[in-house]
Amino acid sequence: MAGEPAASLKSEAGPGLRIPVHLGVIMDGNGRWAKQRGKRRTEGHVEGVKALRGLVENCINYGVSYLTVFSFSSENWTRPPDEISFIFSLLRRFVASDLQRLIRNNVKVRIIGARAGLEPSLLRLIDDVEAKTARNTGLTLIVAFNYGGKAEIVAAARHLAREAAAGRLDPEAIDEASVADALTTAGMPDPDVIIRTSGEQRLSNFLLWQAAYSEFVFVDENWPDFDEASFVRVLEIYTTRDRRFGGIGV
Ligand code: IPE
Ligand code: IPE
Ligand code: MG
């Protein structure tokens, strides 16, 4: 992170801290966290869920409005079946055990990603958590599960092509807003910041369209180690960034 201020991990959230409206997080490094401790990869995923709970709390306390977390990518199907089913069971457990807390905390939950191929019982659970939190007005928690940015753009293109073929849409009228409205994130602001943990510096197919002007913050910690101090440090880094959106800045 050359050029970044040497912010202390212990620093308190100062009054001058800029808070992103929408924060995206690529929660990476669960497997390495476990390996470094001589544990199984699945134990890393269990710890990762704990870090996610903490992140949701921090977003509520610091006033973030939208939080999108990458929890399972369309490419993660290439992992061993045991690990995949463990991650799926963790999602089920997270929804079941945390639903009441999310409702109490006024969190609205949305799950984005491909639904095709998911088990009917999991689909029911997803519909249930979305329906039960739909009226909440606090933090919107968007879980990108079985999500791939390219697939999302393909689905949007297919939808627009169908509308045009049916005569309901003039191809000349397609603009950036029409594409954005055809994505699963329709109606949400684009992420201001995208964090990736574990030292990797890539998007891995996360929010490709939406990340056009996001600020990227790469941190070395593995996801289970990402705590409030790490969160504040990211906010401090974001506060120093000059977002120009193609202009010449201030
Ligand atoms: C992120 O941790 C969680 C998922 C991708 C589901 P990883 O499982 O990718 O952990 P590493 O990158 O192998 O350490
Ligand atoms: C990205 O992490 C997906 C999630 C965090 C859910 P990966 O661990 O799958 O990404 P690569 O394979 O290192 O790019
Ligand atoms: Mg990984």
Side-chain angles (χ1 to χ4, degrees):
M1 285 187 223
E4 234 77 87
S8 155
L9 274 178
K10 292 267 182 301
S11 64
E12 294 292 312
L17 218 48
R18 179 161 52 163
I19 306 297
V21 173
H22 185 171
L23 175 65
V25 184
I26 303 171
M27 309 182 293
D28 197 15
N30 292 348
R32 278 164 283 172
W33 181 93
K35 198 173 167 207
Q36 285 160 8
R37 288 160 180 79
K39 297 173 190 275
R40 290 186 299 271
R41 290 180 57 85
T42 47
E43 296 184 56
H45 295 312
V46 170
E47 287 306 308
V49 172
K50 294 182 189 164
L52 172 58
R53 270 189 202 113
L55 174 69
V56 169
E57 242 168 62
N58 287 327
C59 285
I60 294 170
N61 294 339
Y62 287 78
V64 172
S65 303
Y66 296 85
L67 167 66
T68 302
V69 292
F70 204 6
S71 72
F72 189 83
S73 81
S74 40
E75 289 73 38
N76 288 149
W77 287 104
T78 56
R79 295 191 178 201
D82 282 2
E83 181 169 344
I84 295 173
S85 54
F86 190 85
I87 293 170
F88 274 60
S89 70
L90 263 188
L91 176 79
R92 287 173 192 274
R93 271 189 275 161
F94 175 74
V95 170
S97 66
D98 285 50
L99 182 57
Q100 290 314 319
R101 189 203 321 236
L102 293 168
I103 292 172
R104 222 177 22 250
N105 287 331
N106 201 16
V107 177
K108 181 177 185 152
V109 181
R110 291 276 321 274
I111 317 277
I112 61 169
R115 306 249 164 146
L118 299 185
E119 279 178 22
S121 64
L122 183 58
L123 291 175
R124 275 198 301 278
L125 198 70
I126 287 172
D127 288 342
D128 191 50
V129 66
E130 287 190 336
K132 286 191 171 135
T133 62
R135 290 190 183 172
N136 288 348
T137 54
L139 174 73
T140 300
L141 169 64
I142 302 130
V143 181
F145 188 80
N146 196 21
Y147 175 88
K150 284 191 177 184
E152 182 187 35
I153 293 169
V154 168
R158 194 178 293 133
H159 167 75
L160 294 172
R162 260 199 230 109
E163 291 295 295
R168 289 190 291 264
L169 177 67
D170 173 5
E172 297 310 316
I174 297 175
D175 57 11
E176 291 185 9
S178 352
V179 176
D181 284 347
L183 299 173
T184 54
T185 49
M188 299 174 199
D190 286 341
D192 300 292
V193 184
I194 293 181
I195 303 172
R196 183 166 187 151
T197 57
S198 85
E200 308 296 353
Q201 304 196 356
R202 55 179 170 263
L203 267 182
S204 300
N205 211 4
F206 184 56
L207 300 181
L208 296 184
W209 168 277
Q210 300 85 340
Y213 265 104
S214 302
E215 295 294 329
F216 292 95
V217 180
F218 299 109
V219 303
D220 287 335
E221 294 151 297
N222 287 319
W223 175 246
D225 289 328
F226 191 88
D227 59 11
E228 183 175 357
S230 330
F231 178 82
V232 170
R233 182 156 197 277
V234 169
L235 296 183
E236 286 170 346
I237 291 169
Y238 174 57
T239 302
T240 67
R241 296 280 176 91
D242 182 14
R243 304 187 77 191
R244 290 189 289 278
F245 298 100
I248 57 169
V250 286

